[in-house]
Amino acid sequence: GEDVEQSLFLSVREGDSSVINCTYTDSSSTYLYWYKQEPGAGLQLLTYIFSNMDMKQDQRLTVLLNKKDKHLSLRIADTQTGDSAIYFCAESPSDSWGKLQFGAGTQVVVTP
Amino acid sequence: GAVVSQHPSWVICKSGTSVKIECRSLDFQATTMFWYRQFPKQSLMLMATSNEGSKATYEQGVEKDKFLINHASLTLSTLTVTSAHPEDSSFYICSATQGTSNTEAFFGQGTRLTVV
């Protein structure tokens, strides 16, 4: 099975908060990332968190990391239609910097 | 942030021909570049790691004679799909890192390859 797991789909109403969850298996991961991919496009780095942090906030984005449970979440406040995309969680092992292990991606659909 | 450019954005080729995809770091020197493959509605799977001036390191199950990687300079890596077949049709994405910082890998916009 995959080392990084995500739910595949999330539907949210415009203006509500979205929460995307991710679990990973490599406890040695140094950094954990959230990427956004719009249709037919490459990946855009949204945010990342260092493994010794519990939380990181960046404008509408909040990342929570539970290292004990190897659980990562991304919360998007005041979700907009432009947030509709696929969101990938990724981990970077400490011995292989830059080399990312991705989850399957969560399709987020924002409805008016 | 740093910019990584891939070319072409999409390509259609006949079965049996070879296709070259370029990945360029536009405003930084990329010590390492990575090549990923993404099937529809699936995640990105790492194919190989490319360091400038040395042979690429391929992931298990990736045929190095089929997917030729050249990293001749600090700003350019190329992936050549040799003797392409329809099952090679996929979305190929490169990423690049600069120095030894482990904070961010910069991704290209991807190349959609269709083999007919």
Side-chain angles (χ1 to χ4, degrees), chain A residues 13-79:
Chain A
R13 295 182 71 166
E14 190 174 11
D16 289 349
S17 292
S18 310
V19 178
I20 308 167
N21 294 300
C22 169
T23 57
Y24 62 97
T25 57
D26 189 347
S27 59
S28 71
S29 293
T30 307
Y31 288 91
L32 295 131
Y33 303 82
W34 284 104
Y35 282 88
K36 177 183 180 182
Q37 185 182 36
E38 297 186 41
L43 273 69
Q44 173 195 353
L45 178 65
L46 288 178
T47 187
Y48 63 89
I49 189 167
F50 189 49
S51 58
N52 69 353
M53 297 170 65
D54 298 323
M55 185 183 85
K56 181 179 180 181
Q57 187 155 1
D58 183 1
Q59 300 182 335
R60 293 191 296 124
L61 305 178
T62 303
V63 179
L64 295 178
L65 174 60
N66 181 328
K67 198 171 180 182
K68 174 176 170 289
D69 294 338
K70 298 189 186 68
H71 182 266
L72 183 74
S73 68
L74 173 69
R75 178 177 180 270
I76 306 173
D78 187 25
T79 311

Short mmCIF file of all heavy atoms in Angstrom, two decimals, chain A residues 13-79:
data_model
loop_
_atom_site.label_atom_id
_atom_site.label_comp_id
_atom_site.label_asym_id
_atom_site.label_seq_id
_atom_site.Cartn_x
_atom_site.Cartn_y
_atom_site.Cartn_z
N ARG A 13 -18.98 23.80 0.68
CA ARG A 13 -19.70 24.98 0.20
C ARG A 13 -18.82 26.22 0.31
O ARG A 13 -18.02 26.36 1.26
CB ARG A 13 -20.99 25.16 0.97
CG ARG A 13 -21.98 24.03 0.76
CD ARG A 13 -23.25 24.24 1.49
NE ARG A 13 -24.06 25.32 0.91
CZ ARG A 13 -25.33 25.53 1.19
NH1 ARG A 13 -25.94 24.78 2.08
NH2 ARG A 13 -25.99 26.51 0.63
N GLU A 14 -18.98 27.08 -0.64
CA GLU A 14 -18.22 28.32 -0.66
C GLU A 14 -18.42 29.08 0.65
O GLU A 14 -19.54 29.23 1.13
CB GLU A 14 -18.68 29.18 -1.83
CG GLU A 14 -17.80 30.39 -2.12
CD GLU A 14 -18.24 31.11 -3.39
OE1 GLU A 14 -19.33 30.80 -3.92
OE2 GLU A 14 -17.49 31.99 -3.84
N GLY A 15 -17.31 29.53 1.23
CA GLY A 15 -17.37 30.26 2.49
C GLY A 15 -17.14 29.39 3.71
O GLY A 15 -16.77 29.91 4.78
N ASP A 16 -17.36 28.09 3.57
CA ASP A 16 -17.09 27.17 4.68
C ASP A 16 -15.60 26.86 4.76
O ASP A 16 -14.83 27.23 3.87
CB ASP A 16 -17.87 25.87 4.50
CG ASP A 16 -19.37 26.06 4.70
OD1 ASP A 16 -19.77 27.14 5.19
OD2 ASP A 16 -20.13 25.12 4.37
N SER A 17 -15.24 26.16 5.82
CA SER A 17 -13.84 25.71 5.94
C SER A 17 -13.72 24.30 5.37
O SER A 17 -14.63 23.48 5.48
CB SER A 17 -13.42 25.69 7.41
OG SER A 17 -13.35 27.00 7.91
N SER A 18 -12.57 24.04 4.76
CA SER A 18 -12.26 22.70 4.25
C SER A 18 -11.18 22.10 5.13
O SER A 18 -10.24 22.81 5.52
CB SER A 18 -11.71 22.78 2.82
OG SER A 18 -12.53 23.56 2.00
N VAL A 19 -11.28 20.83 5.39
CA VAL A 19 -10.21 20.14 6.11
C VAL A 19 -9.84 18.89 5.33
O VAL A 19 -10.69 18.03 5.08
CB VAL A 19 -10.63 19.76 7.55
CG1 VAL A 19 -9.48 19.01 8.22
CG2 VAL A 19 -11.00 21.00 8.35
N ILE A 20 -8.60 18.83 4.95
CA ILE A 20 -8.09 17.67 4.20
C ILE A 20 -7.12 16.94 5.12
O ILE A 20 -6.22 17.55 5.70
CB ILE A 20 -7.36 18.12 2.93
CG1 ILE A 20 -8.26 19.06 2.10
CG2 ILE A 20 -6.97 16.91 2.10
CD1 ILE A 20 -7.52 19.78 1.01
N ASN A 21 -7.31 15.63 5.22
CA ASN A 21 -6.50 14.84 6.12
C ASN A 21 -5.53 13.93 5.38
O ASN A 21 -5.79 13.51 4.25
CB ASN A 21 -7.40 13.99 7.02
CG ASN A 21 -8.22 14.83 7.96
OD1 ASN A 21 -7.69 15.59 8.77
ND2 ASN A 21 -9.54 14.74 7.85
N CYS A 22 -4.45 13.61 6.06
CA CYS A 22 -3.39 12.80 5.46
C CYS A 22 -2.70 12.01 6.56
O CYS A 22 -2.49 12.54 7.66
CB CYS A 22 -2.40 13.74 4.77
SG CYS A 22 -0.85 13.00 4.21
N THR A 23 -2.39 10.78 6.27
CA THR A 23 -1.57 10.00 7.21
C THR A 23 -0.32 9.52 6.47
O THR A 23 -0.36 9.26 5.27
CB THR A 23 -2.32 8.79 7.78
OG1 THR A 23 -2.76 7.96 6.70
CG2 THR A 23 -3.51 9.22 8.61
N TYR A 24 0.76 9.42 7.19
CA TYR A 24 2.02 9.00 6.58
C TYR A 24 2.67 7.95 7.48
O TYR A 24 2.26 7.78 8.63
CB TYR A 24 2.94 10.20 6.35
CG TYR A 24 3.35 10.93 7.60
CD1 TYR A 24 4.56 10.67 8.22
CD2 TYR A 24 2.50 11.89 8.18
CE1 TYR A 24 4.92 11.33 9.38
CE2 TYR A 24 2.86 12.55 9.33
CZ TYR A 24 4.07 12.28 9.92
OH TYR A 24 4.43 12.93 11.08
N THR A 25 3.67 7.27 6.94
CA THR A 25 4.25 6.17 7.70
C THR A 25 5.70 6.39 8.09
O THR A 25 6.18 5.78 9.04
CB THR A 25 4.15 4.85 6.91
OG1 THR A 25 4.80 5.03 5.65
CG2 THR A 25 2.70 4.46 6.69
N ASP A 26 6.40 7.26 7.37
CA ASP A 26 7.83 7.40 7.62
C ASP A 26 8.07 8.39 8.77
O ASP A 26 7.98 9.59 8.59
CB ASP A 26 8.52 7.88 6.35
CG ASP A 26 10.04 7.85 6.47
OD1 ASP A 26 10.56 7.69 7.60
OD2 ASP A 26 10.72 7.99 5.44
N SER A 27 8.40 7.86 9.92
CA SER A 27 8.58 8.72 11.09
C SER A 27 9.83 9.59 11.00
O SER A 27 10.00 10.52 11.77
CB SER A 27 8.63 7.87 12.37
OG SER A 27 9.70 6.95 12.28
N SER A 28 10.70 9.26 10.04
CA SER A 28 11.92 10.05 9.92
C SER A 28 11.73 11.26 9.00
O SER A 28 12.67 12.03 8.79
CB SER A 28 13.06 9.18 9.37
OG SER A 28 12.82 8.87 8.00
N SER A 29 10.52 11.42 8.46
CA SER A 29 10.28 12.54 7.55
C SER A 29 10.63 13.86 8.21
O SER A 29 10.20 14.14 9.32
CB SER A 29 8.82 12.55 7.10
OG SER A 29 8.55 11.44 6.29
N THR A 30 11.38 14.65 7.49
CA THR A 30 11.82 15.93 8.04
C THR A 30 10.81 17.03 7.76
O THR A 30 10.52 17.86 8.60
CB THR A 30 13.17 16.31 7.41
OG1 THR A 30 14.07 15.23 7.58
CG2 THR A 30 13.73 17.56 8.06
N TYR A 31 10.30 17.05 6.54
CA TYR A 31 9.31 18.03 6.15
C TYR A 31 8.09 17.34 5.58
O TYR A 31 8.18 16.27 4.97
CB TYR A 31 9.89 18.97 5.07
CG TYR A 31 10.92 19.94 5.59
CD1 TYR A 31 12.26 19.61 5.59
CD2 TYR A 31 10.54 21.18 6.07
CE1 TYR A 31 13.20 20.49 6.06
CE2 TYR A 31 11.48 22.08 6.54
CZ TYR A 31 12.81 21.74 6.55
OH TYR A 31 13.74 22.61 7.02
N LEU A 32 6.94 17.98 5.78
CA LEU A 32 5.69 17.50 5.20
C LEU A 32 5.07 18.66 4.44
O LEU A 32 5.12 19.81 4.91
CB LEU A 32 4.77 16.98 6.29
CG LEU A 32 5.36 15.73 6.96
CD1 LEU A 32 5.31 15.85 8.47
CD2 LEU A 32 4.65 14.49 6.50
N TYR A 33 4.52 18.35 3.29
CA TYR A 33 4.11 19.39 2.35
C TYR A 33 2.65 19.24 1.94
O TYR A 33 2.09 18.13 1.95
CB TYR A 33 4.94 19.30 1.07
CG TYR A 33 6.43 19.39 1.25
CD1 TYR A 33 7.19 18.27 1.62
CD2 TYR A 33 7.10 20.59 1.02
CE1 TYR A 33 8.56 18.35 1.76
CE2 TYR A 33 8.48 20.67 1.16
CZ TYR A 33 9.20 19.55 1.53
OH TYR A 33 10.56 19.64 1.67
N TRP A 34 2.09 20.36 1.54
CA TRP A 34 0.80 20.36 0.85
C TRP A 34 0.98 21.07 -0.48
O TRP A 34 1.44 22.21 -0.54
CB TRP A 34 -0.28 21.06 1.67
CG TRP A 34 -0.78 20.24 2.81
CD1 TRP A 34 -0.48 20.38 4.13
CD2 TRP A 34 -1.70 19.14 2.73
NE1 TRP A 34 -1.14 19.43 4.88
CE2 TRP A 34 -1.90 18.65 4.04
CE3 TRP A 34 -2.38 18.51 1.68
CZ2 TRP A 34 -2.73 17.58 4.33
CZ3 TRP A 34 -3.21 17.45 1.97
CH2 TRP A 34 -3.38 16.99 3.28
N TYR A 35 0.62 20.35 -1.56
CA TYR A 35 0.67 20.90 -2.90
C TYR A 35 -0.74 20.97 -3.48
O TYR A 35 -1.61 20.15 -3.15
CB TYR A 35 1.51 20.02 -3.82
CG TYR A 35 3.01 20.18 -3.65
CD1 TYR A 35 3.70 19.42 -2.72
CD2 TYR A 35 3.72 21.09 -4.43
CE1 TYR A 35 5.07 19.57 -2.56
CE2 TYR A 35 5.09 21.24 -4.27
CZ TYR A 35 5.75 20.48 -3.34
OH TYR A 35 7.11 20.62 -3.18
N LYS A 36 -0.94 21.92 -4.38
CA LYS A 36 -2.21 22.09 -5.08
C LYS A 36 -1.97 21.87 -6.56
O LYS A 36 -0.99 22.38 -7.12
CB LYS A 36 -2.75 23.50 -4.83
CG LYS A 36 -4.03 23.85 -5.56
CD LYS A 36 -4.42 25.31 -5.29
CE LYS A 36 -5.70 25.69 -5.99
NZ LYS A 36 -6.05 27.12 -5.76
N GLN A 37 -2.86 21.11 -7.20
CA GLN A 37 -2.76 20.90 -8.64
C GLN A 37 -4.10 21.21 -9.28
O GLN A 37 -5.11 20.58 -8.98
CB GLN A 37 -2.35 19.46 -8.95
CG GLN A 37 -2.12 19.21 -10.45
CD GLN A 37 -1.75 17.78 -10.75
OE1 GLN A 37 -2.25 16.85 -10.13
NE2 GLN A 37 -0.86 17.59 -11.73
N GLU A 38 -4.06 22.16 -10.21
CA GLU A 38 -5.25 22.47 -10.98
C GLU A 38 -5.23 21.64 -12.26
O GLU A 38 -4.16 21.15 -12.67
CB GLU A 38 -5.32 23.97 -11.24
CG GLU A 38 -5.45 24.74 -9.91
CD GLU A 38 -5.66 26.22 -10.08
OE1 GLU A 38 -6.43 26.62 -10.97
OE2 GLU A 38 -5.04 26.99 -9.33
N PRO A 39 -6.37 21.48 -12.92
CA PRO A 39 -6.44 20.57 -14.08
C PRO A 39 -5.38 20.86 -15.13
O PRO A 39 -5.22 21.99 -15.59
CB PRO A 39 -7.85 20.83 -14.63
CG PRO A 39 -8.64 21.27 -13.44
CD PRO A 39 -7.69 22.08 -12.60
N GLY A 40 -4.65 19.82 -15.52
CA GLY A 40 -3.65 19.93 -16.58
C GLY A 40 -2.43 20.73 -16.22
O GLY A 40 -1.60 21.02 -17.10
N ALA A 41 -2.27 21.06 -14.96
CA ALA A 41 -1.14 21.91 -14.56
C ALA A 41 -0.19 21.16 -13.64
O ALA A 41 -0.49 20.06 -13.17
CB ALA A 41 -1.67 23.16 -13.87
N GLY A 42 0.95 21.77 -13.39
CA GLY A 42 1.91 21.20 -12.46
C GLY A 42 1.48 21.43 -11.03
O GLY A 42 0.33 21.75 -10.74
N LEU A 43 2.42 21.27 -10.13
CA LEU A 43 2.11 21.38 -8.72
C LEU A 43 2.55 22.72 -8.16
O LEU A 43 3.64 23.20 -8.45
CB LEU A 43 2.81 20.27 -7.93
CG LEU A 43 2.05 18.95 -7.82
CD1 LEU A 43 1.99 18.27 -9.17
CD2 LEU A 43 2.69 18.07 -6.79
N GLN A 44 1.70 23.27 -7.33
CA GLN A 44 2.00 24.53 -6.66
C GLN A 44 2.16 24.25 -5.17
O GLN A 44 1.24 23.69 -4.54
CB GLN A 44 0.85 25.51 -6.90
CG GLN A 44 0.96 26.80 -6.12
CD GLN A 44 -0.34 27.58 -6.11
OE1 GLN A 44 -1.30 27.23 -6.79
NE2 GLN A 44 -0.38 28.65 -5.34
N LEU A 45 3.31 24.60 -4.63
CA LEU A 45 3.50 24.41 -3.19
C LEU A 45 2.63 25.40 -2.43
O LEU A 45 2.71 26.61 -2.63
CB LEU A 45 4.96 24.63 -2.81
CG LEU A 45 5.27 24.51 -1.33
CD1 LEU A 45 5.05 23.08 -0.84
CD2 LEU A 45 6.71 24.94 -1.04
N LEU A 46 1.78 24.86 -1.55
CA LEU A 46 0.93 25.72 -0.73
C LEU A 46 1.63 26.08 0.57
O LEU A 46 1.67 27.23 0.98
CB LEU A 46 -0.38 25.02 -0.41
CG LEU A 46 -1.38 24.85 -1.54
CD1 LEU A 46 -2.60 24.10 -1.05
CD2 LEU A 46 -1.77 26.20 -2.11
N THR A 47 2.11 25.06 1.24
CA THR A 47 2.75 25.26 2.52
C THR A 47 3.50 24.00 2.91
O THR A 47 3.28 22.93 2.32
CB THR A 47 1.71 25.64 3.59
OG1 THR A 47 2.38 26.00 4.81
CG2 THR A 47 0.74 24.50 3.87
N TYR A 48 4.36 24.12 3.88
CA TYR A 48 5.05 22.95 4.41
C TYR A 48 5.25 23.15 5.89
O TYR A 48 5.15 24.27 6.41
CB TYR A 48 6.40 22.73 3.70
CG TYR A 48 7.38 23.85 3.89
CD1 TYR A 48 8.26 23.85 4.97
CD2 TYR A 48 7.44 24.91 2.99
CE1 TYR A 48 9.17 24.89 5.16
CE2 TYR A 48 8.34 25.95 3.17
CZ TYR A 48 9.21 25.93 4.25
OH TYR A 48 10.10 26.96 4.43
N ILE A 49 5.52 22.06 6.57
CA ILE A 49 5.74 22.13 8.00
C ILE A 49 6.93 21.26 8.37
O ILE A 49 7.09 20.16 7.83
CB ILE A 49 4.46 21.73 8.79
CG1 ILE A 49 4.62 22.00 10.29
CG2 ILE A 49 4.09 20.27 8.52
CD1 ILE A 49 3.30 21.91 11.05
N PHE A 50 7.75 21.77 9.22
CA PHE A 50 8.90 21.02 9.70
C PHE A 50 8.40 20.04 10.75
O PHE A 50 7.47 20.34 11.51
CB PHE A 50 9.94 21.99 10.28
CG PHE A 50 11.25 21.37 10.63
CD1 PHE A 50 11.91 20.55 9.73
CD2 PHE A 50 11.85 21.63 11.85
CE1 PHE A 50 13.13 19.98 10.05
CE2 PHE A 50 13.07 21.06 12.18
CZ PHE A 50 13.70 20.25 11.29
N SER A 51 9.03 18.91 10.83
CA SER A 51 8.50 17.82 11.66
C SER A 51 8.51 18.10 13.16
O SER A 51 7.86 17.38 13.92
CB SER A 51 9.27 16.53 11.38
OG SER A 51 10.64 16.72 11.64
N ASN A 52 9.23 19.13 13.60
CA ASN A 52 9.23 19.42 15.03
C ASN A 52 8.19 20.47 15.41
O ASN A 52 8.17 20.94 16.54
CB ASN A 52 10.62 19.84 15.51
CG ASN A 52 11.03 21.19 14.97
OD1 ASN A 52 10.33 21.76 14.13
ND2 ASN A 52 12.14 21.71 15.43
N MET A 53 7.34 20.81 14.43
CA MET A 53 6.28 21.78 14.68
C MET A 53 4.94 21.06 14.81
O MET A 53 4.75 19.97 14.26
CB MET A 53 6.20 22.78 13.54
CG MET A 53 7.45 23.63 13.38
SD MET A 53 7.44 24.60 11.86
CE MET A 53 6.08 25.70 12.15
N ASP A 54 4.01 21.68 15.52
CA ASP A 54 2.66 21.13 15.66
C ASP A 54 1.68 21.83 14.73
O ASP A 54 0.68 21.24 14.31
CB ASP A 54 2.15 21.29 17.09
CG ASP A 54 3.00 20.53 18.08
OD1 ASP A 54 3.45 19.43 17.73
OD2 ASP A 54 3.20 21.06 19.19
N MET A 55 1.95 23.10 14.49
CA MET A 55 0.99 23.88 13.73
C MET A 55 1.73 24.96 12.95
O MET A 55 2.74 25.49 13.40
CB MET A 55 -0.04 24.53 14.65
CG MET A 55 -1.15 25.26 13.92
SD MET A 55 -2.30 26.11 15.02
CE MET A 55 -1.46 27.64 15.25
N LYS A 56 1.16 25.27 11.80
CA LYS A 56 1.67 26.39 11.02
C LYS A 56 0.49 27.07 10.37
O LYS A 56 -0.37 26.40 9.78
CB LYS A 56 2.67 25.91 9.97
CG LYS A 56 3.26 27.03 9.13
CD LYS A 56 4.26 26.49 8.13
CE LYS A 56 4.85 27.62 7.29
NZ LYS A 56 5.82 27.12 6.29
N GLN A 57 0.45 28.40 10.48
CA GLN A 57 -0.65 29.13 9.87
C GLN A 57 -0.10 30.10 8.85
O GLN A 57 0.91 30.77 9.09
CB GLN A 57 -1.46 29.89 10.94
CG GLN A 57 -2.70 30.54 10.39
CD GLN A 57 -3.76 30.74 11.44
OE1 GLN A 57 -3.57 30.41 12.61
NE2 GLN A 57 -4.88 31.30 11.04
N ASP A 58 -0.76 30.16 7.71
CA ASP A 58 -0.33 31.04 6.64
C ASP A 58 -1.58 31.56 5.96
O ASP A 58 -2.17 30.88 5.12
CB ASP A 58 0.56 30.29 5.64
CG ASP A 58 1.10 31.20 4.55
OD1 ASP A 58 0.81 32.41 4.57
OD2 ASP A 58 1.83 30.69 3.67
N GLN A 59 -2.02 32.74 6.35
CA GLN A 59 -3.23 33.36 5.82
C GLN A 59 -4.42 32.43 6.00
O GLN A 59 -4.77 32.10 7.14
CB GLN A 59 -3.02 33.79 4.36
CG GLN A 59 -1.88 34.80 4.22
CD GLN A 59 -1.68 35.27 2.79
OE1 GLN A 59 -2.01 34.59 1.83
NE2 GLN A 59 -1.14 36.47 2.65
N ARG A 60 -5.05 31.97 4.93
CA ARG A 60 -6.23 31.12 5.09
C ARG A 60 -5.89 29.65 5.38
O ARG A 60 -6.78 28.84 5.63
CB ARG A 60 -7.10 31.18 3.83
CG ARG A 60 -7.75 32.53 3.57
CD ARG A 60 -8.81 32.45 2.48
NE ARG A 60 -8.25 32.10 1.18
CZ ARG A 60 -8.67 31.05 0.46
NH1 ARG A 60 -9.62 30.27 0.91
NH2 ARG A 60 -8.13 30.82 -0.73
N LEU A 61 -4.61 29.33 5.33
CA LEU A 61 -4.20 27.94 5.48
C LEU A 61 -3.67 27.66 6.88
O LEU A 61 -2.87 28.44 7.41
CB LEU A 61 -3.10 27.61 4.47
CG LEU A 61 -3.40 27.88 3.01
CD1 LEU A 61 -2.18 27.56 2.16
CD2 LEU A 61 -4.60 27.08 2.54
N THR A 62 -4.12 26.55 7.45
CA THR A 62 -3.59 26.10 8.74
C THR A 62 -3.20 24.64 8.60
O THR A 62 -4.02 23.81 8.18
CB THR A 62 -4.63 26.24 9.87
OG1 THR A 62 -5.06 27.60 9.96
CG2 THR A 62 -4.03 25.81 11.20
N VAL A 63 -1.97 24.33 8.94
CA VAL A 63 -1.49 22.96 8.91
C VAL A 63 -1.34 22.47 10.35
O VAL A 63 -0.75 23.16 11.18
CB VAL A 63 -0.14 22.85 8.18
CG1 VAL A 63 0.35 21.41 8.18
CG2 VAL A 63 -0.24 23.37 6.76
N LEU A 64 -1.89 21.30 10.61
CA LEU A 64 -1.73 20.68 11.92
C LEU A 64 -0.97 19.37 11.74
O LEU A 64 -1.28 18.59 10.83
CB LEU A 64 -3.09 20.40 12.57
CG LEU A 64 -3.93 21.62 12.92
CD1 LEU A 64 -5.27 21.17 13.51
CD2 LEU A 64 -3.21 22.51 13.92
N LEU A 65 0.00 19.14 12.60
CA LEU A 65 0.79 17.92 12.53
C LEU A 65 0.74 17.20 13.87
O LEU A 65 1.09 17.77 14.90
CB LEU A 65 2.24 18.24 12.17
CG LEU A 65 3.22 17.06 12.20
CD1 LEU A 65 2.81 15.98 11.21
CD2 LEU A 65 4.63 17.54 11.90
N ASN A 66 0.30 15.96 13.84
CA ASN A 66 0.33 15.09 15.01
C ASN A 66 1.37 14.02 14.72
O ASN A 66 1.10 13.03 14.03
CB ASN A 66 -1.05 14.47 15.25
CG ASN A 66 -1.08 13.58 16.48
OD1 ASN A 66 -0.09 12.94 16.83
ND2 ASN A 66 -2.22 13.53 17.14
N LYS A 67 2.56 14.26 15.22
CA LYS A 67 3.67 13.38 14.86
C LYS A 67 3.50 11.99 15.47
O LYS A 67 3.91 10.99 14.90
CB LYS A 67 4.99 14.01 15.31
CG LYS A 67 6.20 13.41 14.62
CD LYS A 67 7.45 14.19 14.91
CE LYS A 67 8.64 13.54 14.20
NZ LYS A 67 9.89 14.27 14.49
N LYS A 68 2.88 11.95 16.65
CA LYS A 68 2.67 10.67 17.32
C LYS A 68 1.79 9.75 16.47
O LYS A 68 2.07 8.57 16.31
CB LYS A 68 2.05 10.90 18.69
CG LYS A 68 1.64 9.65 19.44
CD LYS A 68 1.13 10.01 20.82
CE LYS A 68 0.48 8.81 21.51
NZ LYS A 68 -0.82 8.47 20.88
N ASP A 69 0.72 10.33 15.93
CA ASP A 69 -0.21 9.54 15.12
C ASP A 69 0.15 9.59 13.64
O ASP A 69 -0.55 9.01 12.82
CB ASP A 69 -1.64 10.06 15.30
CG ASP A 69 -2.15 9.85 16.72
OD1 ASP A 69 -1.60 8.96 17.41
OD2 ASP A 69 -3.08 10.57 17.14
N LYS A 70 1.20 10.33 13.28
CA LYS A 70 1.61 10.50 11.87
C LYS A 70 0.41 10.99 11.06
O LYS A 70 0.07 10.45 10.01
CB LYS A 70 2.17 9.21 11.30
CG LYS A 70 3.42 8.70 12.01
CD LYS A 70 4.05 7.55 11.24
CE LYS A 70 5.21 6.94 11.98
NZ LYS A 70 4.80 6.22 13.20
N HIS A 71 -0.18 12.05 11.53
CA HIS A 71 -1.37 12.61 10.91
C HIS A 71 -1.13 14.08 10.62
O HIS A 71 -0.68 14.85 11.47
CB HIS A 71 -2.58 12.44 11.85
CG HIS A 71 -3.85 12.95 11.24
ND1 HIS A 71 -4.31 14.23 11.47
CD2 HIS A 71 -4.75 12.35 10.41
CE1 HIS A 71 -5.45 14.40 10.80
NE2 HIS A 71 -5.74 13.28 10.17
N LEU A 72 -1.45 14.45 9.40
CA LEU A 72 -1.27 15.82 8.91
C LEU A 72 -2.60 16.30 8.36
O LEU A 72 -3.32 15.53 7.72
CB LEU A 72 -0.22 15.83 7.80
CG LEU A 72 0.18 17.16 7.19
CD1 LEU A 72 1.05 17.95 8.14
CD2 LEU A 72 0.94 16.93 5.88
N SER A 73 -2.94 17.54 8.64
CA SER A 73 -4.17 18.07 8.06
C SER A 73 -3.94 19.48 7.52
O SER A 73 -3.04 20.19 7.97
CB SER A 73 -5.32 18.09 9.08
OG SER A 73 -5.06 19.04 10.11
N LEU A 74 -4.76 19.82 6.55
CA LEU A 74 -4.73 21.17 5.96
C LEU A 74 -6.13 21.74 6.08
O LEU A 74 -7.09 21.13 5.60
CB LEU A 74 -4.31 21.12 4.49
CG LEU A 74 -4.39 22.44 3.73
CD1 LEU A 74 -3.33 23.42 4.23
CD2 LEU A 74 -4.22 22.22 2.22
N ARG A 75 -6.23 22.87 6.72
CA ARG A 75 -7.51 23.55 6.82
C ARG A 75 -7.46 24.81 5.97
O ARG A 75 -6.53 25.61 6.08
CB ARG A 75 -7.82 23.91 8.29
CG ARG A 75 -9.13 24.67 8.48
CD ARG A 75 -9.39 24.92 9.98
NE ARG A 75 -10.63 25.64 10.20
CZ ARG A 75 -10.72 26.98 10.24
NH1 ARG A 75 -9.65 27.73 10.08
NH2 ARG A 75 -11.89 27.55 10.44
N ILE A 76 -8.47 24.95 5.12
CA ILE A 76 -8.60 26.15 4.30
C ILE A 76 -9.81 26.91 4.81
O ILE A 76 -10.94 26.41 4.75
CB ILE A 76 -8.79 25.80 2.80
CG1 ILE A 76 -7.67 24.89 2.32
CG2 ILE A 76 -8.85 27.08 1.97
CD1 ILE A 76 -7.89 24.36 0.89
N ALA A 77 -9.58 28.09 5.34
CA ALA A 77 -10.67 28.90 5.85
C ALA A 77 -11.33 29.66 4.70
O ALA A 77 -10.69 29.99 3.69
CB ALA A 77 -10.14 29.89 6.89
N ASP A 78 -12.65 29.92 4.85
CA ASP A 78 -13.38 30.71 3.85
C ASP A 78 -13.09 30.21 2.44
O ASP A 78 -12.60 30.94 1.58
CB ASP A 78 -12.98 32.18 3.99
CG ASP A 78 -13.82 33.11 3.12
OD1 ASP A 78 -14.96 32.73 2.77
OD2 ASP A 78 -13.32 34.19 2.75
N THR A 79 -13.40 28.94 2.21
CA THR A 79 -13.08 28.31 0.93
C THR A 79 -13.76 29.02 -0.23
O THR A 79 -14.95 29.33 -0.17
CB THR A 79 -13.49 26.83 0.96
OG1 THR A 79 -12.99 26.23 2.15
CG2 THR A 79 -12.92 26.09 -0.23
#
